[in-house]
Amino acid sequence: MTRRWISGAIGVLALALAACAPGGGASGQGDDAGAGADKVTLSLWSWRVEDVKAYEKILAKFEESHPKIHVEFKPFQATEYNNILATGLSGTGGPDVAQLRAYGGLQPLVEAGQLVPLDGKVEALSGFDGKLLEGAKGYRDGKIYGVPFAYQTLQVLYNKKLFGDNGIRPPATWDEMIAAADKLKAAGITPFAVAAGPDATWTLPIVHEIFGNARYGGTAFRDAVLRGEKKFTDPDFTASIKLIEDLKPYFPKDVVAVKIPDVQALFVSGKAAMYPTGTFDLAPVLKADPSLEIGVFQVPPPPGSPVTTPVTPGWADGSFGVNAKSAHQAEALELVKWMATPEFGQLYANELKQLSAVPGVTPSDPLLAEMAGNYAANGAPYMLLVDFRYGQPNGDAVFRDELQKMLTGQAEPKAVAESVRKGVEQWFKPGN
Amino acid sequence: MPRWRVLAVFLLPALLLYSVFIIYPLVTALNYSFFEWRGIRQVGFAGLDNYRDLFGVYPYDQQLWRAFWHNGLFFAGTMLIQNTVGLLFALLLFRYRRGKRFLQAAFTTPYLVDPLVVGYLWSLLLNPTFGPVNALLEAVGLDSWALPWLGDTRTALPIVIVVNAWQWVGFPMLLFSAALAGIPAEYHEAARVDGASAWQTFRRVTLPLLTPAIGVVSVLTFIGNFNAFGLIYAMAGSTGSPAGSTDVLGLLFYRVAFVEGGVEAIGRSSALAVLMFVFIFGVSLLATAYFRRRERMLV
């Protein structure tokens, strides 16, 4: 019992010591690398431990065209990365270039003045998608602090074989989707692989986005909320929450105790036919069964929707930025400039099977290409993540708890909407 | 060398380590909690603002009291289940010595395993989709008993309490065993000669003499329960699933400090850490003083 105190104490101490350490240039001691006299070593920090091989391959290409720069890729555990980075950026031994979280996750670093603004320094950024660029901007100053590397889209994955066996086609209308779900349920197949268990609460707002974005009014509703013309208690938003309650019979039994690995297993093993989720789940699902034939569809707008076309919600995953204390700013800037080129984007998309944020890059995987096409045609921001993570409590943090409450039968859609309004109004001021 | 110098030589290393790793971080957290933060940058003295936010900003104002209440229930449930069962085991092992060594080892094995692992194992066992517990219940025809255990707001916290007790029951058992062994046999013999029943002997002789052990067990249970984190995190996630029905102060701290990670995180989480420390430390002091007084009445 005391051990927990001690380990916590050590953590706090490490943080404190690092914060007190005298400022100065960040790592990048080129001489220590034993390379040529004027060769500079940049250290690149990331939370993608699983991508080391891919990054080494990608960065080798950069070194080919930039022979005087050597880049060291240094990944950390994703769950600890935010704290390690905040500490690393504050003293010596930090990164020169760092992978940065997007939106609200970027803000603490911006406000602490730990990053170099890239406006006017990386020309290629002007060609980037404006929606994705928002993820790399400071909330108050509007400056760009990173080069976006990837984005995520939200849609429904489906098992082609199960659809074929049951004579179902990807639905063109909401009613068709419900009819398909009824048919699957009657055949003993879970229609929607949705988890709402302890590890899955963060996916509930995502499920709501997939089914409800068109119902609450997509981008137009978001803009109205940001301008202060509408609130989350709006009847359209409440109706979009009600959709999730109505769909509950099509989720796995005891959904509130079901975890993410459970639904992945259900979907991969053919016990569930449709998986409403993000691009990020495509790789794990295909890894579990590479022979699985997967299709993708956008949820058709539910009856009464202000938006009458299907929507693919999405958001920027993160960006690469330059440490304000880096001793090799010029070289670090070279690297992030290169990260805004189609060469990097294409390498990134091919090696990591993700959607590159660099304009003009097309994924080689046909499914990913389809998702990218859907987003380009019908993209909308996942507003609770994109706009409502700049203060405590996070919009989606309040929402996920309340959605789970609703699925246990302890909250009405109206009460859920009211909680979200109340939560974000603790810090959100419209018109900023 | 004078005596105090010898003492100093032996005490100093421990004192140094203690100061660096315990006192310093505690003081730092206290200091942090009085400032306004933007990321890791302090922007000014905040007085008690961080504390006020914990009690005034939705949803923390509600979650704080809910978490506190759950810690209380967790403590009460643990005292009731873990510590009474621990006492029962100790008494039985004291009475019937067959297999004592083996049983003592068996009962204490679970606490060699990290709470995170225990929580994970039980969440697998209780999994409604693939878990063996419900499969077994359904196989023997008890379908109506196959509940979503960790997915029902009524059963989740009791399940956590029971699993926690399952892990730690060996601890009170060992302490009570040692205390029982320390009670002179004459007392029990005298009681029997006076015609006391087994229950009367236990109630009037054994139990009062266990006061010191009960005090230690209670205070340590209290500290452990109010700092609970790993087991509940593994079984119910950082949000205290389902619908916050297992949320405790440790999880709330984790969410404010790390999960949401807003610009205000350091100030608010430090304030919560200070509140938790003051409460746990204060109650532990009071409880220790109370049990001391009870002990003195025994002599």
Side-chain angles (χ1 to χ4, degrees), chain B residues 54-67:
Chain B
L54 286 176
F55 291 97
V57 170
Y58 176 85
Y60 306 118
D61 55 347
Q62 296 179 7
Q63 291 183 355
L64 185 71
W65 293 112
R66 185 181 70 184

mmCIF file of all heavy atoms in Angstrom, chain B residues 54-67:
data_model
loop_
_atom_site.group_PDB
_atom_site.id
_atom_site.type_symbol
_atom_site.label_atom_id
_atom_site.label_comp_id
_atom_site.label_asym_id
_atom_site.label_seq_id
_atom_site.Cartn_x
_atom_site.Cartn_y
_atom_site.Cartn_z
ATOM 1 N N LEU B 54 -12.677 22.193 -7.499
ATOM 2 C CA LEU B 54 -13.037 20.789 -7.257
ATOM 3 C C LEU B 54 -14.436 20.677 -6.677
ATOM 4 O O LEU B 54 -15.157 19.727 -6.940
ATOM 5 C CB LEU B 54 -12.047 20.139 -6.289
ATOM 6 C CG LEU B 54 -10.668 19.812 -6.847
ATOM 7 C CD1 LEU B 54 -9.794 19.270 -5.735
ATOM 8 C CD2 LEU B 54 -10.767 18.784 -7.968
ATOM 9 N N PHE B 55 -14.815 21.679 -5.861
ATOM 10 C CA PHE B 55 -16.135 21.631 -5.228
ATOM 11 C C PHE B 55 -17.190 22.383 -6.033
ATOM 12 O O PHE B 55 -18.371 22.261 -5.768
ATOM 13 C CB PHE B 55 -16.076 22.207 -3.810
ATOM 14 C CG PHE B 55 -15.305 21.350 -2.859
ATOM 15 C CD1 PHE B 55 -13.980 21.624 -2.579
ATOM 16 C CD2 PHE B 55 -15.903 20.241 -2.273
ATOM 17 C CE1 PHE B 55 -13.263 20.821 -1.709
ATOM 18 C CE2 PHE B 55 -15.190 19.432 -1.405
ATOM 19 C CZ PHE B 55 -13.864 19.720 -1.129
ATOM 20 N N GLY B 56 -16.729 23.179 -7.018
ATOM 21 C CA GLY B 56 -17.690 24.040 -7.698
ATOM 22 C C GLY B 56 -17.879 23.786 -9.182
ATOM 23 O O GLY B 56 -18.897 24.158 -9.746
ATOM 24 N N VAL B 57 -16.893 23.176 -9.862
ATOM 25 C CA VAL B 57 -17.007 23.016 -11.303
ATOM 26 C C VAL B 57 -17.677 21.687 -11.633
ATOM 27 O O VAL B 57 -17.243 20.632 -11.187
ATOM 28 C CB VAL B 57 -15.605 23.077 -11.975
ATOM 29 C CG1 VAL B 57 -15.697 22.668 -13.427
ATOM 30 C CG2 VAL B 57 -15.026 24.472 -11.862
ATOM 31 N N TYR B 58 -18.763 21.766 -12.426
ATOM 32 C CA TYR B 58 -19.416 20.556 -12.889
ATOM 33 C C TYR B 58 -18.492 19.862 -13.876
ATOM 34 O O TYR B 58 -17.871 20.535 -14.674
ATOM 35 C CB TYR B 58 -20.747 20.923 -13.567
ATOM 36 C CG TYR B 58 -21.479 19.769 -14.169
ATOM 37 C CD1 TYR B 58 -22.319 18.989 -13.381
ATOM 38 C CD2 TYR B 58 -21.303 19.426 -15.506
ATOM 39 C CE1 TYR B 58 -22.975 17.909 -13.926
ATOM 40 C CE2 TYR B 58 -21.956 18.351 -16.042
ATOM 41 C CZ TYR B 58 -22.788 17.586 -15.256
ATOM 42 O OH TYR B 58 -23.424 16.509 -15.789
ATOM 43 N N PRO B 59 -18.326 18.539 -13.918
ATOM 44 C CA PRO B 59 -18.982 17.543 -13.072
ATOM 45 C C PRO B 59 -18.168 17.140 -11.854
ATOM 46 O O PRO B 59 -18.536 16.227 -11.127
ATOM 47 C CB PRO B 59 -19.085 16.359 -14.022
ATOM 48 C CG PRO B 59 -17.855 16.449 -14.873
ATOM 49 C CD PRO B 59 -17.528 17.912 -14.985
ATOM 50 N N TYR B 60 -17.023 17.853 -11.587
ATOM 51 C CA TYR B 60 -16.191 17.432 -10.453
ATOM 52 C C TYR B 60 -16.927 17.582 -9.138
ATOM 53 O O TYR B 60 -16.742 16.787 -8.212
ATOM 54 C CB TYR B 60 -14.885 18.229 -10.442
ATOM 55 C CG TYR B 60 -14.168 18.134 -11.758
ATOM 56 C CD1 TYR B 60 -13.935 19.251 -12.543
ATOM 57 C CD2 TYR B 60 -13.793 16.886 -12.258
ATOM 58 C CE1 TYR B 60 -13.323 19.142 -13.781
ATOM 59 C CE2 TYR B 60 -13.180 16.775 -13.494
ATOM 60 C CZ TYR B 60 -12.957 17.905 -14.248
ATOM 61 O OH TYR B 60 -12.369 17.794 -15.477
ATOM 62 N N ASP B 61 -17.781 18.633 -9.047
ATOM 63 C CA ASP B 61 -18.507 18.858 -7.798
ATOM 64 C C ASP B 61 -19.333 17.635 -7.424
ATOM 65 O O ASP B 61 -19.466 17.290 -6.257
ATOM 66 C CB ASP B 61 -19.377 20.119 -7.901
ATOM 67 C CG ASP B 61 -20.339 20.097 -9.084
ATOM 68 O OD1 ASP B 61 -20.167 19.226 -9.955
ATOM 69 O OD2 ASP B 61 -21.243 20.943 -9.123
ATOM 70 N N GLN B 62 -19.894 16.968 -8.476
ATOM 71 C CA GLN B 62 -20.697 15.772 -8.186
ATOM 72 C C GLN B 62 -19.822 14.531 -8.052
ATOM 73 O O GLN B 62 -20.039 13.676 -7.203
ATOM 74 C CB GLN B 62 -21.727 15.564 -9.287
ATOM 75 C CG GLN B 62 -22.710 16.705 -9.337
ATOM 76 C CD GLN B 62 -23.737 16.558 -10.440
ATOM 77 O OE1 GLN B 62 -23.815 15.527 -11.113
ATOM 78 N NE2 GLN B 62 -24.528 17.584 -10.628
ATOM 79 N N GLN B 63 -18.802 14.448 -8.933
ATOM 80 C CA GLN B 63 -17.967 13.247 -8.932
ATOM 81 C C GLN B 63 -17.152 13.129 -7.653
ATOM 82 O O GLN B 63 -16.901 12.023 -7.171
ATOM 83 C CB GLN B 63 -17.040 13.264 -10.147
ATOM 84 C CG GLN B 63 -17.823 13.086 -11.446
ATOM 85 C CD GLN B 63 -16.933 13.035 -12.665
ATOM 86 O OE1 GLN B 63 -15.721 13.231 -12.576
ATOM 87 N NE2 GLN B 63 -17.513 12.772 -13.816
ATOM 88 N N LEU B 64 -16.739 14.260 -7.088
ATOM 89 C CA LEU B 64 -15.931 14.220 -5.872
ATOM 90 C C LEU B 64 -16.686 13.541 -4.734
ATOM 91 O O LEU B 64 -16.176 12.633 -4.086
ATOM 92 C CB LEU B 64 -15.525 15.648 -5.479
ATOM 93 C CG LEU B 64 -14.586 15.759 -4.289
ATOM 94 C CD1 LEU B 64 -13.195 15.254 -4.665
ATOM 95 C CD2 LEU B 64 -14.478 17.195 -3.809
ATOM 96 N N TRP B 65 -17.934 13.977 -4.521
ATOM 97 C CA TRP B 65 -18.708 13.396 -3.420
ATOM 98 C C TRP B 65 -19.097 11.960 -3.709
ATOM 99 O O TRP B 65 -19.099 11.103 -2.815
ATOM 100 C CB TRP B 65 -19.957 14.244 -3.134
ATOM 101 C CG TRP B 65 -19.570 15.583 -2.592
ATOM 102 C CD1 TRP B 65 -19.719 16.790 -3.200
ATOM 103 C CD2 TRP B 65 -18.910 15.850 -1.344
ATOM 104 N NE1 TRP B 65 -19.196 17.786 -2.415
ATOM 105 C CE2 TRP B 65 -18.696 17.243 -1.277
ATOM 106 C CE3 TRP B 65 -18.471 15.038 -0.291
ATOM 107 C CZ2 TRP B 65 -18.064 17.852 -0.181
ATOM 108 C CZ3 TRP B 65 -17.842 15.645 0.791
ATOM 109 C CH2 TRP B 65 -17.647 17.023 0.845
ATOM 110 N N ARG B 66 -19.414 11.687 -4.986
ATOM 111 C CA ARG B 66 -19.764 10.321 -5.360
ATOM 112 C C ARG B 66 -18.577 9.385 -5.108
ATOM 113 O O ARG B 66 -18.730 8.317 -4.528
ATOM 114 C CB ARG B 66 -20.152 10.296 -6.841
ATOM 115 C CG ARG B 66 -20.650 8.971 -7.331
ATOM 116 C CD ARG B 66 -20.988 9.035 -8.806
ATOM 117 N NE ARG B 66 -19.789 9.168 -9.622
ATOM 118 C CZ ARG B 66 -19.798 9.313 -10.940
ATOM 119 N NH1 ARG B 66 -20.935 9.370 -11.593
ATOM 120 N NH2 ARG B 66 -18.679 9.413 -11.611
ATOM 121 N N ALA B 67 -17.373 9.842 -5.521
ATOM 122 C CA ALA B 67 -16.175 9.026 -5.337
ATOM 123 C C ALA B 67 -15.905 8.821 -3.847
ATOM 124 O O ALA B 67 -15.579 7.712 -3.408
ATOM 125 C CB ALA B 67 -14.981 9.694 -6.014
#
